[in-house]
Amino acid sequence: MKVALLISGGVDSAVATELLLRQGHELHLFYIRIGMDNGEGDCSAEEDIEMCTLIARKYGLPFRVVSLHQEYWNYVMKYALDTVKQGLTPHPDMMCNKMIKFGFFEERWGHEFDAVATGHYASIVEKDGLKYLATAVDPVKDQTDFLAQISYDQLKHLIFPLGELPKAEVRRLAMDARLPNATRKDSQGICFLGKIDYNDFIERHLGIRKGPIIELETGKKLGEHRGFWFYTIGQRKGLGLSGGPWYVVRKNVRDNVVYVSNGYDTAAQYGRELHLGEMHWITRNPMPEDGAPFSVAFKNRHTPHFADGELTLLPDGNYLLRSQEDIQGIAPGQFAIIYSPDRTLCLGSAQILPPPQKRKPKQNGK
């Protein structure tokens, strides 16, 4: 097949190159330059592009750098800022995959190829004539939670060469193939920011608006924050409070108040109900026609751990996900990723909504 491979300069996409060539595919390498050159979220890409160029030269493959700067601003960075301003927690990496890598790239360049490939740790399986997004064999590296908003049409045109390999094996293959980035460290940056600090990005665009940090149980003022948009539900670090651990458990956007609770096991950190809206099923809607609860596994953050629960369609078209275990840090704006009960198939995802009829905590500290 004639395949467009999206490479990043990292070891994963480099090994994907090696594997696809072994399988006999005709490869064309692409690097997507994203971020803004005017300083608004610009990614430091030159080192990555240089590494991609070395990979292309090693294998004698065509390599092209394509730009999706403005699209990235309009559909990823703007989404992230708008979500944060509402007091919610965004998932920009998920939007990047849906809108940029498998959206605009596909429309402008990828459609000319038989398939588009990436170095994501995920798999694709076929059942009853349909393709499904499947989890990778490496539970720690599995990235299906970042892919759970892609469409079925996008999925049908994708290849994930690394889904059946543990990370250690990918590193070994890179060493055996003498890839120039075999020992390069994995990127730890957020997709839409690259090497830019997240708080610096938020401050640049939303500024600072100081407000009180209040203990949820007592209403006592413990300190001052720089603006509710710097904090997410479940956050522990960066609060600047003594006598911790302290966790962010609630935010009052209107009054710019951040509520915290003390202790590793405080009940205020946990919940068993996730209210979901805008459900997106990748391949098909698996819900029973009679409206009965549907058993699922799920995640509400990037983690190797799955929780079990029951998903119910509500009369208003939203969903209620009841977990069988306590879930820490349920952050509205983030996504619940829905899996088959055996944890093999990623079925889709939905945005976590604020709990209905949320009571306002008392605030008597000054």
Side-chain angles (χ1 to χ4, degrees), residues 43-65:
C43 294
S44 301
E46 298 310 317
E47 181 181 340
D48 295 331
I49 293 173
E50 180 180 357
M51 189 62 68
C52 293
T53 302
L54 291 175
I55 297 296
R57 287 176 182 170
K58 173 180 172 61
Y59 292 107
L61 296 175
F63 171 54
R64 183 177 177 184
V65 178

Side-chain angles (χ1 to χ4, degrees), residues 126-349:
E126 189 166 329
K127 296 180 63 176
D128 303 323
L130 295 174
K131 290 187 175 182
Y132 288 85
L133 179 64
T135 51
V137 299
D138 190 327
V140 175
K141 297 300 294 184
D142 178 75
Q143 294 175 303
T144 50
D145 52 324
F146 293 149
L147 299 165
Q149 277 283 304
I150 65 174
S151 70
Y152 187 62
D153 285 341
Q154 290 172 333
L155 179 69
K156 289 190 299 182
H157 201 230
L158 291 174
I159 300 175
F160 299 123
L162 304 187
E164 300 302 318
L165 298 175
K167 180 69 178 192
E169 177 67 7
V170 170
R171 285 286 183 187
R172 187 192 67 79
L173 288 170
M175 296 295 290
D176 289 347
R178 297 183 178 180
L179 296 176
N181 55 2
T183 59
R184 194 181 190 198
K185 292 183 179 180
D186 292 339
S187 172
Q188 300 298 318
I190 300 173
C191 173
F192 81 118
L193 292 181
K195 299 176 182 178
I196 293 176
D197 180 78
Y198 178 77
N199 283 339
D200 289 345
F201 169 78
I202 295 298
E203 181 177 339
R204 180 188 304 161
H205 292 281
L206 300 183
I208 293 175
R209 180 185 164 201
K210 294 183 178 181
I213 299 176
I214 303 295
E215 185 174 17
L216 180 72
E217 293 81 1
T218 66
K220 179 182 178 182
K221 180 179 177 180
L222 303 177
E224 200 169 57
H225 64 78
R226 302 167 63 227
F228 68 81
W229 43 77
F230 290 103
Y231 305 89
T232 188
I233 304 300
Q235 178 176 333
R236 178 169 68 90
K237 297 181 179 180
L239 295 172
L241 301 176
S242 61
W246 295 95
Y247 288 85
V248 176
V249 294
R250 194 170 297 177
K251 295 189 291 185
N252 183 327
V253 174
R254 185 191 65 184
D255 299 329
N256 191 31
V257 179
V258 172
Y259 294 94
V260 298
S261 190
N262 184 264
Y264 287 107
D265 296 317
T266 173
Q269 292 183 57
Y270 298 92
R272 291 204 173 193
E273 291 190 348
L274 289 79
H275 300 267
L276 309 178
E278 301 181 12
M279 179 66 75
H280 170 73
W281 301 114
I282 299 173
T283 300
R284 67 177 185 88
N285 185 342
M287 296 293 291
E289 293 184 1
D290 62 4
F294 179 58
S295 294
V296 298
F298 72 94
K299 299 179 181 181
N300 68 312
R301 60 171 52 83
H302 183 58
T303 171
H305 176 71
F306 293 88
D308 294 304
E310 284 192 338
L311 190 64
T312 303
L313 176 62
L314 302 176
D316 62 1
N318 291 326
Y319 288 76
L320 178 62
L321 177 56
R322 289 190 174 94
S323 174
Q324 294 181 13
E325 63 184 69
D326 291 337
I327 302 299
Q328 192 267 342
I330 301 173
Q334 277 283 10
F335 286 79
I337 317 302
I338 308 300
Y339 294 86
S340 57
D342 64 2
R343 286 112 160 101
T344 61
L345 302 181
C346 179
L347 304 177
S349 59

Side-chain angles (χ1 to χ4, degrees), residues 85-105:
K85 281 191 287 189
Q86 297 175 53
L88 306 176
T89 302
H91 200 320
D93 290 304
M94 185 180 281
M95 291 301 110
C96 176
N97 287 322
K98 175 183 178 179
M99 302 302 301
I100 305 301
K101 293 178 182 176
F102 310 132
F104 285 105
F105 176 82

